[in-house]
Amino acid sequence: MSNQPGKFVIGLTGNIATGKSVVRRMFEHLGAYTIDADALTHRTYAKGAPGYQQVIDKFGKWLVNKDGEIDRSKLGNLVFNDRDAMQQLEAIVHPFIRQAVDILMQRAPQRVIVIEAIKLLEGDLRKICNSIWVTNAPQEVQIERLIRKRGFTRERALERIHMQSSQSAKVAIANIVITNTGSYDYLWRQVSAAWKEVVPGASKTEPEPVVKKQGTTGADFSAKRGTPKNSSAIADFVTRLSKGKQKMTAENVMEDFGDKAYMLLHLDGSLVGLAGWQVENLVTRTTDIFLEENLNKQKALETLVKEVERASSELQSEASLVFPTGELGSQESLWKQLGYERRTPETLGVQAWKDAANESMPLGGSFLFKRLRQDRVLRPI
């Protein structure tokens, strides 16, 4: 059970392509603090981290790329094809992951903590959970997702699925089983219903605060995190402001909620702007910003961005990366007033920040950077 007084800890697991990360995002929409324990693995053997030299000593210098970092692709190819190598890597990184999880839990202001880990039931993390949730999907659905989303061949998909421990064994242990066959609306209804049933006081969860900024007409801008019930409004807004270049449906937005959150900007009760953003591995990435044309861009953007930063700080984000396009991307002075500067991935210093920048960088584009906190959250490990 949880060793953190006042915290309710949910352990979230399930095999590959069953939708763990999508469900974890849904927990964020419900007000939980979520931890991707598997993503923390990369931080434990980044250059300068405590697992870096141990991994090199165990597997060899051939893993190191020209930047001095351990090549995750090479390491992944090694351990996913050799069970003994996987166990050796886990023996190195799991103690550091446990330390990192404890640090994040202690610092989190949220009462409910969700820990996503594919090896949750095989390790020590299981011992600190009040409730075990397992995502489940038929094997053919797993195969289809791996082929469509990761470019796997059918043979490679089956190989990865069969390398993992029995899904039925996980389901047998679970307190809650979430069936993910492809409908995001159905998935959301399962998660929200189980949340109300299992989490103490969940039905009394307070709404997120609304941040206001005086607009140009005497009215107030207000920014608030969107929820799945706003999916139709978000889809219509993005389709209209992109002039049809991004044609979206409510189902598209529901699918997006598995990867990111939406911050909605209102003026006089009308939706006038939004930002699509996510916090992953303690880095905020804002990849979509849409604003109505006739707004005071400075006040509108300030309200929207500040609320994304506030919500990110609650998720312990260390840095914010923004990828604006079109006119917004060229307004250097406006972004400078908000504390952002144009950067390239190579100048960021922290590997997790570089990875986030490279993963989200549009072809031929650039991004803006702001450090949200001076202390590094996971520096103690």
Side-chain angles (χ1 to χ4, degrees):
M1 303 294 282
S2 171
N3 59 358
Q4 300 292 330
K7 304 284 189 185
F8 185 85
V9 181
I10 294 173
L12 175 63
T13 191
N15 282 3
I16 191 169
T18 58
K20 294 185 302 301
S21 295
V22 174
V23 172
R24 175 169 57 84
R25 290 285 181 205
M26 290 180 174
F27 278 120
E28 282 188 10
H29 298 312
L30 290 167
Y33 179 73
T34 71
I35 300 170
D36 183 350
D38 299 322
L40 292 176
T41 299
H42 306 143
R43 285 208 164 195
T44 67
Y45 58 74
K47 188 176 181 180
Y52 177 79
Q53 193 60 48
Q54 292 186 43
V55 170
I56 294 173
D57 291 344
K58 178 64 68 175
F59 301 113
K61 292 183 179 179
W62 66 276
L63 289 173
V64 180
N65 61 27
K66 63 182 180 180
D67 298 324
E69 293 286 348
I70 292 172
D71 189 310
R72 285 163 46 184
S73 178
K74 289 181 180 178
L75 183 59
N77 288 335
L78 170 65
V79 299
F80 283 121
N81 290 291
D82 186 331
R83 290 182 184 274
D84 290 338
M86 176 66 83
Q87 291 175 356
Q88 291 169 346
L89 177 63
E90 289 172 350
I92 294 172
V93 303
H94 279 184
F96 298 125
I97 293 172
R98 175 60 193 272
Q99 289 181 46
V101 167
D102 285 343
I103 291 167
L104 293 170
M105 287 175 60
Q106 289 169 12
R107 298 179 64 134
Q110 293 85 347
R111 184 174 54 84
V112 182
I113 309 292
V114 177
I115 304 171
E116 176 194 344
I118 199 162
K119 292 290 187 74
L120 179 85
L121 301 178
E122 294 88 338
D124 288 342
L125 289 176
R126 176 183 180 180
K127 299 175 183 177
I128 64 174
C129 297
N130 298 94
S131 183
I132 302 295
W133 295 38
V134 172
T135 53
N136 191 27
Q139 181 171 288
E140 283 303 314
V141 173
Q142 293 176 272
I143 293 170
E144 185 275 330
R145 287 174 182 157
L146 290 172
I147 292 172
R148 176 167 51 89
K149 294 186 176 182
R150 303 197 191 184
F152 284 12
T153 63
R154 182 179 178 84
E155 292 72 23
R156 187 183 179 196
L158 281 167
E159 181 181 319
R160 286 291 294 273
I161 290 169
H162 292 154
M163 278 193 67
Q164 298 181 337
S165 59
S166 167
Q167 179 71 7
S168 61
K170 291 180 170 69
V171 168
I173 293 172
N175 300 111
I176 297 291
V177 177
I178 301 296
T179 302
N180 180 12
T181 56
S183 167
Y184 288 88
D185 181 61
Y186 176 54
L187 192 64
W188 170 253
R189 284 188 277 116
Q190 287 182 81
V191 172
S192 56
W195 168 273
K196 292 175 183 177
E197 176 186 342
V198 172
V199 177
S203 59
K204 300 177 181 178
T205 302
E206 295 182 1
E208 290 190 47
V210 176
V211 169
K212 292 186 176 181
K213 186 74 176 181
Q214 191 70 25
T216 56
T217 62
D220 286 334
F221 284 115
S222 62
K224 188 175 182 180
R225 185 171 180 149
T227 66
K229 70 180 181 181
N230 305 123
S231 57
S232 293
I234 293 170
D236 293 344
F237 188 80
V238 171
T239 300
R240 179 169 60 82
L241 263 68
S242 68
K243 295 179 172 59
K245 293 179 180 179
Q246 289 183 240
K247 293 182 179 179
M248 298 193 74
T249 65
E251 181 65 16
N252 295 148
V253 175
M254 287 296 294
E255 185 172 354
D256 277 354
F257 274 121
D259 295 318
K260 63 177 125 180
Y262 282 99
M263 193 66 70
L264 308 183
L265 181 72
H266 289 87
L267 182 63
D268 288 336
S270 298
L271 180 63
V272 295
L274 64 78
W277 62 285
Q278 61 172 268
V279 175
E280 196 70 39
N281 208 4
L282 306 183
V283 184
T284 302
R285 286 182 269 179
T286 302
T287 52
D288 304 287
I289 301 179
F290 292 94
L291 296 174
E292 293 280 14
E293 291 184 2
N294 298 322
L295 296 178
N296 180 319
K297 293 294 191 296
Q298 179 179 350
K299 293 186 181 299
L301 198 61
E302 180 180 358
T303 306
L304 191 59
V305 171
K306 290 295 184 183
E307 181 61 3
V308 169
E309 291 177 1
R310 185 202 64 77
S312 297
S313 295
E314 287 192 352
L315 298 175
Q316 304 191 52
S317 177
E318 298 172 334
S320 175
L321 311 179
V322 181
F323 301 85
T325 57
E327 180 188 354
L328 282 177
S330 63
Q331 297 191 19
E332 298 280 347
S333 60
L334 190 155
W335 287 105
K336 188 173 182 180
Q337 290 178 38
L338 295 174
Y340 287 82
E341 59 179 340
R342 198 167 296 280
R343 297 285 287 272
T344 60
E346 296 73 24
T347 65
L348 295 182
V350 178
Q351 188 61 38
W353 302 353
K354 293 180 185 178
D355 291 342
N358 285 319
E359 288 170 8
S360 295
M361 179 80 76
L363 186 64
S366 61
F367 69 94
L368 298 154
F369 172 84
K370 179 179 181 179
R371 188 161 184 167
L372 298 181
R373 58 192 310 149
Q374 292 306 308
D375 65 314
R376 293 284 309 286
V377 175
L378 294 182
R379 179 65 71 189
I381 72 164

